[in-house]
Amino acid sequence: METTVILAAPLAVERIDTGDTAWLLAATALVLLMTPGLALFYGGMVRTKSVLNMLMMSFVSIALVTVVWLTAGYSLAFGDDIGGGLIGGLDHAGMSGLGPDSVQGTVPTLLFATFQLTFAIITAALISGAIADRVKFGAWLVFVPVWALLVYVPVTHWVWGPGGWILDHLGALDFAGGLPVEITSGASGLALCLVLGPRLGFKKDAMRPHNLPMVMLGAGLLWFGWFGFNAGSALGANGLAAAAFLNTLAAGCTGLLGWLFVEQKRDGHPTTLGAASGAVAGLVAITPSCGSVPLPGALAVGLAAGVVCSYAVSWKFKLNYDDSLDVVGVHLVGGIIGTLLIGVFAAKEMTGGTEGLLYGGGLAQLGKQLVAVVAVGAYAFAVTYGVAKLIDKAMGLRASEEQEQTGLDLTVHAETAYDHGVLGHGAPVTASVVPSPQKVKSQA
């Protein structure tokens, strides 16, 4: 009598894919580069007396957010949900239990955590543009880690974490960060603007960018890094990454062209600042949708952002909030546009099933996207406003009037970006600048 032996199907085992890992390593480096790019972008947009302070606010965010993320942020954002889809647990606090052999999908978990860290870094740094020229540097050092833990980490869990309510319960889509990056930074920037109040001379003094080539260089680095931001979010070297890559390029281009079209029609002059801002607006809007919409949708998303954001940046003058470098007008408005338009242009060949209004999906997905936008925007604004008020009461949030008038570079950092010597606009004249007669004689 023959015996039939039935073999059980082998369990699926997660294995590290070297191609996916290599791509994510490169993408992580690209996204980290975006923060120095942002520093140059913002630095060129401020006046000469606060350039270094602007650069420092971005660079110090790298250090602060990294410590927070490795200590508790990653575990709270991507740990197993501990209730209601609101926050993860602390099983991986201090990155415990995550060795080199730990796998997330097809890449090492440590690499996935580092990739996500670079998102958290630039999100915090983005906020600084809304409060340029007038915030205490010490207060910024306190604000960044507190904000990262209370705002960025929970929203990231909602959107991308296991069991997060926006993805798993609501069903809203966000491929690369329209909700946790763009909308949180924009809404938080608005809250800080309102707590701090406008800059001295707002709507009276000319506050033009002091170095437009620096702005363009920063925008170029941001665009370059954005390919890692969006295509890297596929977490693999695959067709979805290629589609997100192409969509990112396309939307940046139509965003640039849309902004310039508005400038030409409205002002009669297409500007370099407009080109840089339009490209960034298109890139912001395509961030949540690059993995959900086909190429025609990406072109439309970028164009819509370029046109609408070019008008939105002027709202601050009508509504009297001083969003110094247009974080609200570009990142909040652009993030809302890109997140909502998923409900219009999403196609099943990109999403694997979900369809937007134009592809026969009806209004259901658009409604889900709207709920997510309102919830995240309201949460980020409310918590940031409360944190800013507490810091203001505890240590003061705004620099003194004298510091603001003189410039934060000299009064806070004891440095200046440009040394004009005896004209009085550069570094103080000291023995380190002008050698003493005795030193000159000895050297001779």
Side-chain angles (χ1 to χ4, degrees), residues 276-354:
S277 300
V280 170
L283 294 165
V284 165
I286 200 60
T287 292
S289 52
C290 61
S292 303
V293 304
L295 182 58
L299 293 167
V301 167
L303 183 62
V307 171
V308 176
C309 291
S310 65
Y311 288 106
V313 296
S314 65
W315 295 347
K316 61 185 177 184
F317 299 111
K318 298 177 182 178
L319 301 177
N320 202 38
Y321 62 90
D322 187 8
D323 172 23
S324 307
L325 307 182
D326 301 321
V327 178
V328 177
V330 173
H331 293 275
L332 178 58
V333 175
I336 291 172
I337 290 170
T339 304
L340 290 179
L341 289 181
I342 292 173
V344 177
F345 295 111
K348 63 182 178 181
E349 64 264 27
M350 295 290 293
T351 64
T354 302

Side-chain angles (χ1 to χ4, degrees), residues 37 39-45 51 55 210-219 418:
L40 292 173
F41 183 70
Y42 280 171
M45 291 175 70
V51 182
L55 299 177
H210 89 282
N211 192 328
L212 287 168
M214 184 186 292
V215 173
M216 296 293 279
L217 175 60
Y418 308 100

Side-chain angles (χ1 to χ4, degrees), residues 170 172 340 343 362-373:
L170 177 63
L340 290 179
L363 293 171
Q365 191 61 39
L366 183 58
K368 295 175 182 179
Q369 300 300 127
L370 179 60
V371 170
V373 165

